[in-house]
Amino acid sequence: MDLQTLSQGLDTIWVVLTAAMILLMEGGFALLEAGFVRQKNAVSIIMKVFVDITFGALVFYFIGFAFMYGKDMGGFIGTTGYMMGGDLSHISLNISLDTYWLFQAAFVIAVISIVSGAVAERIHFRAYILFTIAMTGLIYPLAGHWVWSAGGWLGALGMIDFAGSAVIHALGGFSALAAAMFIGPRIGRFTPDGKVNIVPPSNLPLASVGAFILWFGWFGFNSGSTLSATNGSIGHIAVTTMLAASAGGATCILFTMLRYKKADPPMVINGSLAGLVGITAGAAFVSDGAAIIIGAVSGVAMVLATEFLESKLIDDPVGAFAVHGVSGSIGTLALGLFAKPELTAGIGKGYAGLFYGGGWSLLGVQALGLAVVSVWGFVLTAGFLWLIKRITPVRVSRDEELVGLDVAIHG
């Protein structure tokens, strides 16, 4: 066995294992969301996660991968690679295309899972299936093409998003916001005079286990994005991931103790996740200290964003927008501030953030890309839900919502 064959074998094992870690995050999403919603809707959450995995993977195989990574047309869309066929010679990797597809499929499944929590307890199952097809077949693949594919227009401008703070989390978060606004709040969530009624989570220990599984999977999410088992930055990526998550959770413990006179468990759970989301764009390119700052800022911003949505009578049962949309935005922009030139040199661009003498260029590109991806997710989600509503009800009936979707929809 020559060194090249050995290298390919090691990289294949690494990418398949990290892809499996990312797929395990669906178990984390299932437990987290089931714990945050009421018991009468726990099975409904699990069923939506199965839709994410099953329909999401199939749609991405048939058309999504082609739109995302196929041969570029005008920097906007891929045109080859349907069912992994056609000319994909422009993808030059040390792993097979099948291995690469598996890793990317794990990512697309995570995107739609972000939206599922924001519409929990009231979206109709048929409508959710149709929206999953739209997200995994068009909305996410096109945004991903712009940033990550060979020839994508945002990537050509110099946007960096190592593992997806913008492409996955900001896109998913703003899609979740649009969906929550479109479908409206749960019955009884807000009083007629605008006051907030607390809907207690059904099982916080279950939600915390879900968060720990997500935390575990995030090491595959970020470190696996090297696509190479011999990449020297894997250890650094794992450390920044750990520090940001810890900073997000610790900051939320202290912040909620000051703000609410108690450490708020759901906020602390989401605070750690916010730190993970925030570091995803720059895990390979920022210092340990910057990772702590990013995680801490993301945690506080998540709490404030949650309060803001409630003040606007927007019901997001699991905090999908606050965790993913807000923290993903912070992480994307933070890269324009904290990117270290010696770390970004490894991607052949040598970018430096504002605080390392790089000027405003990278920050400007990051802001542009973030705005484009976020608006794309928000507008396309609202548009597709409007179209779906012409086909089938998007929201369950009042009686179905009151009795619970586990019984009303799933028997």
Side-chain angles (χ1 to χ4, degrees), residues 215-282:
W215 194 327
F216 169 79
W218 231 287
F219 290 107
F221 209 99
N222 287 354
S223 297
S225 292
T226 60
L227 302 178
S228 171
T230 57
N231 189 299
S233 64
I234 288 174
H236 177 68
I237 294 168
V239 168
T240 57
T241 300
M242 184 69 194
L243 291 175
S246 299
T251 303
C252 277
I253 289 173
L254 298 176
F255 188 64
T256 56
M257 287 174 67
L258 289 171
R259 197 167 183 83
Y260 309 136
K261 309 304 178 186
K262 60 183 176 63
D264 185 87
M267 290 293 189
V268 173
I269 289 171
N270 276 346
S272 294
L273 298 179
L276 289 164
V277 170
I279 198 58
T280 299

Side-chain angles (χ1 to χ4, degrees), residues 187-222:
I187 295 172
R189 181 68 173 91
F190 304 107
T191 65
D193 59 355
K195 293 182 180 179
V196 179
N197 286 325
I198 302 299
V199 179
S202 63
N203 194 326
L204 279 177
L206 194 71
S208 67
V209 172
F212 292 137
I213 292 174
L214 288 169
W215 194 327
F216 169 79
W218 231 287
F219 290 107
F221 209 99
N222 287 354

Side-chain angles (χ1 to χ4, degrees), residues 330-360:
I330 290 170
T332 304
L333 297 175
L335 190 54
L337 301 174
F338 295 108
K340 296 185 70 173
E342 59 267 35
L343 296 177
T344 57
I347 58 175
K349 296 176 180 178
Y351 287 125
L354 179 65
F355 297 155
Y356 289 90
W360 295 92

